[in-house]
């Protein structure tokens, strides 16, 4: 199957700083990538849909100025958590849809655990 | 609006016994249904999907799932559980009316005892 790489896997930062998480599709081109947030013992919450070459589409309640998404190429999307606060601590997971289009399964990165002190 | 329900937070089963993880869904159109598995501190891995055709779909690691339109269910099954199957399982649904966004259930934690 397709491989999605996410980096870093763990990051600890101080409150008020910004953190960038990268999501790469290694062996396929992903025009669309998705960013999810997962709270402990809870399901995945879709934060935004990242489209190559255009602005991301954010879900209701997600602050677009706080969670900046850039999808500058067909293989890379980045999520930047700006002015991070302890409540932003979470597990962030990216995914990309494979070649199956709307019927295709999602391929997930390994996730990034963010801890804001 | 689409929704997915996984009624069990946790399922316990003895190794070698059959397992079932339940999932029901609600969509306005034809559903595309998926099962994913997540191991601790990892991303999700795809197990199987139903798009159209045969109601019984087979997937990775010996798992299978049966699409039941009348009961709007898509339960995950395996004839003989392994300890290594212990993980968090997510059911997911997508449909055209929902813009093909993938919506996940709350997850079911499976414990397989040796």
């Amino acid at each position: 199957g397709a491989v999605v790489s996410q980096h870093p896997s763990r990051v600890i930062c101080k409150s008020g700083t910004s953190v960038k998480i990268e999501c790469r599709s290694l062996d396929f081109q992903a025009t669309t990538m998705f960013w999810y947030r997962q709270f402990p013992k809870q399901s995945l919450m879709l934060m935004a849909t990242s489209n190559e070459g255009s602005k991301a589409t954010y879900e209701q309640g997600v602050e677009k100025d706080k969670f900046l998404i850039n999808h500058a190429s067909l293989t890379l999307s980045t999520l930047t958590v700006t002015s991070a606060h302890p409540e932003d601590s979470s597990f962030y997971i990216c995914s990309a849809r494979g070649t199956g289009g709307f019927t295709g399964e999602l391929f997930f990165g390994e996730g990034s655990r963010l801890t804001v002190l | 609006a689409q929704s997915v329900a996984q009624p069990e937070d946790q399922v316990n089963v003895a190794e070698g016994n059959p397992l079932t993880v339940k999932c029901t869904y609600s969509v306005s159109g034809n559903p595309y249904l998926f099962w994913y598995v997540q191991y601790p501190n990892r991303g999700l891995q795809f197990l199987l999907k139903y798009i159209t055709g045969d109601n019984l779909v087979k997937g990775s690691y010996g798992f299978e799932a049966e699409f039941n339109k009348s009961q709007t269910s898509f339960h995950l099954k395996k004839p003989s559980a392994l300890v290594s199957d212990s993980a968090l399982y997510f059911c997911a649904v997508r449909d055209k009316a929902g813009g093909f966004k993938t919506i996940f259930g709350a997850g079911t934690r499976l414990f397989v005892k040796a």
Side-chain angles (χ1 to χ4, degrees):
Chain A
V3 178
V4 175
S5 174
Q6 190 172 340
H7 177 81
S9 58
R10 292 179 180 272
V11 57
I12 300 173
C13 69
K14 293 182 179 180
S15 186
T17 60
S18 295
V19 173
K20 180 185 284 188
I21 300 170
E22 293 187 347
C23 180
R24 295 180 184 272
S25 56
L26 297 186
D27 52 359
F28 68 105
Q29 294 182 330
T31 55
T32 303
M33 290 185 175
F34 306 91
W35 287 95
Y36 290 87
R37 183 172 179 177
Q38 186 178 28
F39 293 96
K41 299 185 180 181
Q42 292 191 31
S43 187
L44 284 75
M45 181 192 78
L46 179 63
M47 297 174 66
T49 301
S50 170
N51 301 296
E52 186 270 334
S54 64
K55 291 183 179 180
T57 303
Y58 290 82
E59 295 300 302
Q60 191 172 8
V62 177
E63 299 177 61
K64 61 181 180 181
D65 294 330
K66 176 134 187 92
F67 299 99
L68 299 179
I69 292 173
N70 183 279
H71 194 155
S73 77
L74 288 171
T75 59
L76 174 64
S77 176
T78 60
L79 168 68
T80 301
V81 183
T82 63
S83 187
H85 290 284
E87 57 265 30
D88 299 324
S89 298
S90 193
F91 193 55
Y92 294 88
I93 310 176
C94 72
S95 69
R97 202 153 49 207
T99 55
F102 292 131
T103 64
E105 59 270 29
L106 296 177
F107 296 96
F108 287 84
E110 292 291 289
S112 299
R113 185 162 298 285
L114 170 63
T115 302
V116 184
L117 302 177
Chain B
Q2 319 132 289
S3 65
V4 180
Q6 293 182 242
E8 303 153 316
D9 290 337
Q10 183 172 311
V11 170
N12 297 310
V13 64
E15 187 174 35
N17 283 0
L19 69 87
T20 298
V21 182
K22 295 179 180 178
C23 171
T24 58
Y25 65 90
S26 175
V27 297
S28 55
N30 293 322
Y32 300 154
L33 294 156
F34 305 81
W35 275 102
Y36 293 87
V37 60
Q38 184 181 32
Y39 297 97
N41 295 309
R42 305 288 293 273
L44 279 67
Q45 296 177 31
F46 168 74
L47 281 179
L48 51 79
K49 66 180 177 182
Y50 171 82
I51 303 301
T52 186
D54 195 350
N55 289 344
L56 182 65
V57 293
K58 295 184 182 297
S60 306
Y61 313 118
F63 284 94
E64 58 188 31
E66 185 166 12
F67 171 61
N68 187 316
K69 188 173 183 177
S70 63
Q71 297 185 5
T72 61
S73 67
F74 189 57
H75 302 331
L76 181 70
K77 299 182 179 184
K78 186 173 183 180
S80 179
L82 298 173
V83 172
S84 57
D85 292 329
S86 299
L88 187 56
Y89 290 81
F90 289 99
C91 182
V93 69
R94 187 190 295 168
D95 79 331
K96 184 177 180 180
F100 295 108
K101 293 178 186 177
T102 302
I103 303 299
F104 288 85
T108 298
R109 190 163 296 280
L110 173 67
F111 286 103
V112 182
K113 293 183 179 180

